[in-house]
Each structure stands twice: as structure tokens, then as C-alpha cells.
Amino acid sequence: MAKIIELFNHKGGVSKTTTTFHLAWKLTQKDKKVLVVDDEKLIVKGIRFSLEQDGMEVDCAYDGEEALSLASSNQYDVILLDVMLPKLTGFEVCQQ
């Protein structure tokens, strides 16, 4: 079974899609560890709920520096990373 998560990030009340994430991940086992990174707390809350319902352990970060810190100190099976983040962008987090 493939699980697909599509996330649209709307900034400043504008209905324009600024960032889209696509994750296609075959879930053959429970107990996957996932880091969800987005500055939109309601989006993170929804994704976290969905992943936890599928039996995954979920950590959350709300800016690039927090994401980098968590990614450096933990081992994740998947990191869902927004591009437009405060402090460090998603691209900067990936480069480090």
C-alpha cells in the first residue's frame, strides 16, 4: 500500500500555492520515525495526526534551525521538509 501526502502551504492569506510536497512511501512496517517540518502549526498538526494513526512516531519542528538540530541528533526514516521556513530555508537545512 502506498501512502501519499500532498501539502499545500499558503502564506500571508494568499490562496496561491507556494510549496507542494509529494511523498510516496511504501509502508510495509509500522514504527517508522518521521520528522515533519513546517512553520504552519495547523498543517503540522494534521500531518502528525495522520502519520500517528498509521502507527508512526512523529517529531515536529517549526523552523529550519530546529529541524537541523533534530535531524542531527536523531535518525529518521523520512523527513517532510517545507522549503519556505524561518531562520533557515528547507534548502539550507538539506545542504547542511
Side-chain angles (χ1 to χ4, degrees):
M1 175 174 113
K3 182 76 169 183
I4 300 173
I5 297 171
E6 187 172 81
L7 171 63
F8 296 95
N9 186 1
H10 303 284
K11 299 288 183 182
V14 178
S15 63
K16 172 181 145 188
T17 300
T18 56
T19 312
T20 304
F21 293 104
H22 296 279
L23 169 67
W25 183 24
K26 186 167 184 171
L27 299 175
T28 56
Q29 300 175 354
K30 300 288 183 181
D31 303 322
K32 299 285 186 182
K33 190 166 182 178
V34 180
L35 174 60
V36 178
V37 186
D38 197 310
D39 57 331
E40 298 284 340
K41 293 188 179 192
L42 286 177
I43 291 173
V44 172
K45 183 178 178 180
I47 293 172
R48 177 182 205 150
F49 177 80
S50 178
L51 294 174
E52 287 177 341
Q53 293 300 304
D54 286 337
M56 290 178 239
E57 181 182 342
V58 181
D59 290 339
C60 301
Y62 301 98
D63 64 57
E65 287 180 355
E66 185 180 10
L68 189 58
S69 175
L70 284 169
S72 298
S73 60
N74 296 284
Q75 188 166 357
Y76 294 100
D77 296 297
V78 169
I79 298 175
L80 298 176
L81 181 62
D82 188 8
V83 173
M84 297 177 64
L85 293 169
K87 299 185 181 177
L88 294 172
T89 69
F91 293 121
E92 292 168 326
V93 171
C94 286
Q95 289 173 343
Q96 295 185 31

